Amino acid sequence: MGQAPETRVITAHVPATLAEQVDQVAHRLERSRGWIVKQALSAYLAQEEERDRLTREALADVDAGRVIDHNAMRAWADSLATEQPLPSPVAR
């Protein structure tokens, strides 16, 4: 078996209701508080990494001129509530 990864303790003050929710989930899943917090923190950080990646990708599209005209997007969005919606606009 491999060696366990190095760990560090992180302390955070959280609202009592949030701590109670952690306790409830830990009890329901028969896991420790630490395990629940580690899972939640990992999920949050993965979400933020993805948000950052998508933002950088979108900015690269803007820099390259791959954008959709605001008026075309607005007309398309407004048409969605009609009997004959417009086809979705494409980047130019």
Side-chain angles (χ1 to χ4, degrees):
M1 268 176 92
Q3 189 174 354
E6 181 182 344
T7 63
R8 290 176 43 195
V9 173
I10 297 175
T11 303
H13 289 267
V14 298
T17 55
L18 184 57
E20 289 167 11
Q21 287 178 300
V22 170
D23 288 342
Q24 290 169 5
V25 171
H27 179 74
R28 185 177 75 242
L29 297 178
E30 297 180 357
R31 295 289 193 156
S32 68
R33 273 189 206 146
W35 188 88
I36 300 300
V37 170
K38 185 172 77 172
Q39 295 301 308
L41 187 56
S42 293
Y44 172 78
L45 293 174
Q47 177 184 347
E48 286 304 307
E49 291 270 333
E50 180 66 0
R51 184 184 328 255
D52 181 62
R53 184 190 69 75
L54 291 171
T55 299
R56 284 184 276 112
E57 185 178 295
L59 290 172
D61 283 342
V62 170
D63 289 344
R66 292 183 297 267
V67 295
I68 297 173
D69 178 74
H70 175 75
N71 291 329
M73 181 59 80
R74 181 87 181 202
W76 171 75
D78 290 344
S79 79
L80 293 176
T82 68
E83 293 287 326
Q84 294 181 317
L86 297 170
S88 59
V90 294
R92 51 184 163 100

